[in-house]
Amino acid sequence: STARVLFLLSLLLLFLFFPFFFFFFFQPDDNKMKSVLLLFLLFLLSESLGIKLQDEHTVKLNIDRKSFEKLSSSISFFDTIHANRGPGNNVSADLKLNSKQLNSLKALNVIHSLVDKNHVNKRSPVEFAARGVKENDDPTPVSYHTNDQMRTYLIDLNKQYPDITKLEQIGKSVNGNPLWVITIHKPPTDPSVIVPQFKYIANMHGDETVGRELMLSFALLLCQQYVKKDPKVMTLVETISISILPSMNPDGFARSQRENANGVDLNRNFPDQFVPKRPTSPQPEMTAVMQWVLKNHFVLSANFHGGAVVANYPWDGVKSGKPYGNEVSESPDQKFFEWVANVYASQNPVMKSSWEFPGGVTNGAHWYPLYGGMQDWNYVNADCFEITIELSDIKYPNGRDLAQYWKQNYDSLFSYLEKVNTGIRGIVTDAKTGEKIKTNVRVKVIDVPGKEIRAKDGIYYRLLAPGTHEVVVSADGYKEEKFTLETEPNKATRRDIKLTKL
């Protein structure tokens, strides 16, 4: 152990020091200075060895810049400091400290969160335990599921609730692990009702694991509460098609690593509007998700990560394509993204009280720019409005800590999901024949320049922040139609459109 090594080292140093103390008092004065210097060097050596042998901790620190500059001038004993400018005038710093240094820092009351590197990414075998999926089983996550256990869990969930669930495999990972999606929805009996599609994706980075377990629990909870006829859940399941991909990177999870089995970061692998050339070849997990998204008509989405606690919204990149900086990069739907990010963060007590991110939200590029991300790709290429939710400072916490993250995010998961039932929606038909216009239908909002939503099979969904909006609907070979309407924060406005041929 470390204590035993330190004890033996102390005995060795004592043995080495003793002769110098003896000769120091029994040698000519002109040699005493050399002995003093040698003793001093040995002392420094012992101190450095002692420091390196002690436990190492990683501290995530968040303070204002002035305090950081004052603090940094007096903390030269820190091994390494990696500081980044956060929102406003804040500094986010990662410090690697030994136990003595950590105790000194604790006394200053500036620690935002503490991560013990000996704790992260290490799991006890007892933390892997599959849970039941029946009506009275507690959905609260208390352990992790291996990939095989997750497969069994989802199959059992589908068998237990066949009327409201659909289980599908949308692709495979590098190592052949299935990418499972469970969709929870009770189709309407009225064919005139249109239903938006919503998705939650987790575990894109294999070592960011909280979202994976929250999604398994959330899927079970929706099924349980629907069967128990909970009014809120019944409304959601009957008016929204809810798809959940618990693990986008099962290979990375199995290896406790961020990247997939090819060593590629999947959140840098998507086609990017600002940096078109990919640094890595397309990965099977990324390709499977892209094909799945484009085949469907997802309207709102979130993907879950770890390493911070914040709701992050587009853009993640900046037009210049530069790899660093802290500038705000606004998408055309900046107001909507700010609104729904705040909806999520405001229901999470830890997120909304963040020291690092005011209100628990941030523009992606203002935090740090990235390219090849899934969030921006969804918005640009699939008209799916997606945000990235960082759930925990510790990327891979112990299974026993999962319950607290479930509690923190419980209300947020529902509140964010509900927002897919806002904005405007409708069916676009030919005024003369009454048939749907299934191709090249575009929906433009005058006060949101730069973003047209494309209808699919004659059905459109246009998410908007609450307020008054002027809308233009057009299709090739038809006269466009303009109208103004008020959108509400908790209700979708149905507006069917009949277009006349030119």
Side-chain angles (χ1 to χ4, degrees):
S1 67
T2 302
R4 180 176 295 179
V5 172
L6 288 173
F7 176 73
L8 294 174
L9 181 63
S10 299
L11 289 178
L12 177 62
L13 290 174
L14 181 63
F15 176 77
L16 292 173
F17 271 122
F18 182 78
F20 289 104
F21 278 116
F22 180 81
F23 288 113
F24 179 79
F25 293 103
F26 298 98
Q27 62 181 314
D29 290 342
D30 59 344
N31 290 329
K32 285 185 178 181
M33 181 59 67
K34 294 180 180 178
S35 298
V36 169
L37 290 173
L38 186 57
L39 283 169
F40 181 67
L41 290 173
L42 284 171
F43 173 74
L44 290 179
L45 175 64
S46 68
E47 284 294 298
S48 65
L49 287 171
I51 287 174
K52 294 301 179 185
L53 284 170
Q54 293 183 55
D55 290 339
E56 187 180 70
H57 304 269
T58 299
V59 175
K60 193 178 183 76
L61 179 69
N62 188 271
I63 55 177
D64 64 85
R65 180 166 293 279
K66 186 173 291 186
S67 297
F68 177 77
E69 290 172 352
K70 181 179 179 181
L71 181 64
S72 62
S73 65
S74 62
I75 57 175
S76 57
F77 55 81
F78 287 158
D79 290 340
T80 57
I81 299 178
H82 302 288
N84 297 298
R85 184 172 67 83
N89 200 33
N90 286 352
V91 172
S92 174
D94 293 324
L95 313 175
K96 290 185 178 180
L97 314 174
N98 61 47
S99 297
K100 181 179 178 181
Q101 296 164 346
L102 176 62
N103 290 333
S104 298
L105 184 60
K106 281 182 176 178
L108 300 174
N109 290 323
V110 292
I111 293 179
H112 170 53
S113 61
L114 170 65
V115 180
D116 186 342
K117 82 166 191 173
N118 295 319
H119 170 73
V120 178
N121 291 339
K122 287 192 176 181
R123 308 157 301 183
S124 167
V126 299
E127 289 190 68
F128 288 101
R131 302 189 300 279
V133 297
K134 294 185 179 179
E135 186 176 337
N136 294 321
D137 290 328
D138 187 355
T140 303
V142 293
S143 60
Y144 288 103
H145 290 75
T146 64
N147 287 331
D148 286 341
Q149 288 172 338
M150 180 180 69
R151 171 184 174 274
T152 301
Y153 180 95
L154 292 172
I155 291 173
D156 289 347
L157 189 64
N158 179 229
K159 288 180 179 179
Q160 185 71 24
Y161 305 97
D163 293 339
I164 58 171
T165 64
K166 174 187 174 184
L167 182 62
E168 61 181 320
Q169 179 184 319
I170 64 167
K172 289 186 177 181
S173 67
V174 172
N175 287 342
N177 281 307
L179 302 182
W180 294 105
V181 170
I182 188 158
T183 299
I184 303 163
H185 176 54
K186 182 68 173 178
T189 55
D190 183 352
S192 68
V193 175
I194 56 177
V195 177
Q197 289 183 269
F198 176 96
K199 62 183 168 70
Y200 274 140
I201 295 179
N203 201 208
M204 184 183 196
H205 289 147
D207 62 345
E208 297 171 15
T209 58
V210 173
R212 173 179 165 121
E213 293 302 325
L214 294 195
M215 288 301 96
L216 294 177
S217 293
F218 190 61
L220 173 58
L221 179 69
L222 290 174
C223 293
Q224 289 176 328
Q225 295 305 110
Y226 185 84
V227 170
K228 293 177 181 179
K229 299 188 182 303
D230 178 281
K232 178 179 179 179
V233 172
M234 289 185 73
T235 298
L236 293 173
V237 172
E238 292 176 359
T239 63
I240 307 167
S241 178
I242 307 162
S243 293
I244 294 173
L245 171 56
S247 183
M248 184 178 166
N249 187 4
D251 296 350
F253 176 81
R255 298 178 176 208
S256 300
Q257 69 181 32
R258 176 186 180 92
E259 301 83 4
N260 71 351
N262 285 336
V264 174
D265 186 335
L266 297 178
N267 207 32
R268 305 294 187 275
N269 195 236
F270 282 79
D272 193 273
Q273 60 175 336
F274 299 131
V275 182
K277 186 177 180 181
R278 280 198 195 99
T280 54
S281 61
Q283 298 299 298
E285 299 91 344
M286 183 277 295
T287 301
V289 169
M290 280 180 54
Q291 292 174 347
W292 172 56
V293 171
L294 293 174
K295 184 176 70 174
N296 289 279
H297 194 176
F298 291 108
V299 180
L300 184 63
S301 174
N303 75 89
F304 295 102
H305 290 250
V309 182
V310 65
N312 173 109
Y313 58 85
W315 300 121
D316 270 335
V318 295
K319 291 181 180 179
S320 65
K322 64 181 181 180
Y324 55 86
N326 298 93
E327 64 183 89
V328 174
S329 183
E330 294 188 359
S331 71
D333 281 282
Q334 170 83 1
K335 287 184 179 179
F336 175 82
F337 280 121
E338 282 185 327
W339 176 52
V340 290
N342 275 289
V343 165
Y344 193 98
S346 65
Q347 299 298 309
N348 181 316
V350 176
M351 194 175 291
K352 72 178 181 181
S353 58
S354 169
W355 292 10
E356 189 173 0
F357 305 98
V361 302
T362 185
N363 171 263
H366 189 221
W367 185 10
Y368 63 89
L370 70 84
Y371 304 93
M374 182 167 66
Q375 171 179 270
D376 288 6
W377 178 86
N378 267 273
Y379 179 62
V380 172
N381 297 279
D383 294 336
C384 177
F385 291 54
E386 179 168 291
I387 67 172
T388 301
I389 299 168
E390 304 274 352
L391 294 169
S392 58
D393 285 317
I394 301 175
K395 291 186 175 186
Y396 202 149
N398 280 327
R400 64 175 177 268
D401 296 327
L402 291 170
Q404 70 176 342
Y405 298 115
W406 174 245
K407 183 178 179 181
Q408 290 166 13
N409 290 277
Y410 187 95
D411 292 333
S412 297
L413 291 172
F414 281 104
S415 296
Y416 185 78
L417 170 58
E418 290 171 338
K419 294 311 169 193
V420 75
N421 276 335
T422 61
I424 59 175
R425 64 183 60 168
I427 300 174
V428 183
T429 58
D430 184 296
K432 185 176 181 179
T433 66
E435 296 294 322
K436 290 180 182 177
I437 304 173
K438 295 187 175 183
T439 58
N440 299 319
V441 177
R442 300 171 296 277
V443 180
K444 180 171 63 175
V445 181
I446 300 302
D447 55 293
V448 187
K451 179 62 177 177
E452 283 188 341
I453 295 294
R454 293 148 289 189
K456 279 191 177 182
D457 295 324
I459 300 173
Y460 76 93
Y461 301 91
R462 193 17 167 136
L463 295 176
L464 292 163
T468 303
H469 304 280
E470 185 178 353
V471 183
V472 180
V473 179
S474 61
D476 292 351
Y478 290 85
K479 295 180 182 178
E480 66 181 23
E481 179 168 330
K482 295 181 181 179
F483 57 91
T484 301
L485 52 69
E486 186 86 13
T487 57
E488 301 180 37
N490 298 305
K491 179 183 176 183
T493 301
R494 176 77 178 257
R495 183 67 179 257
D496 293 340
I497 306 296
K498 295 180 180 181
L499 295 181
T500 303
K501 281 190 175 182
L502 294 170

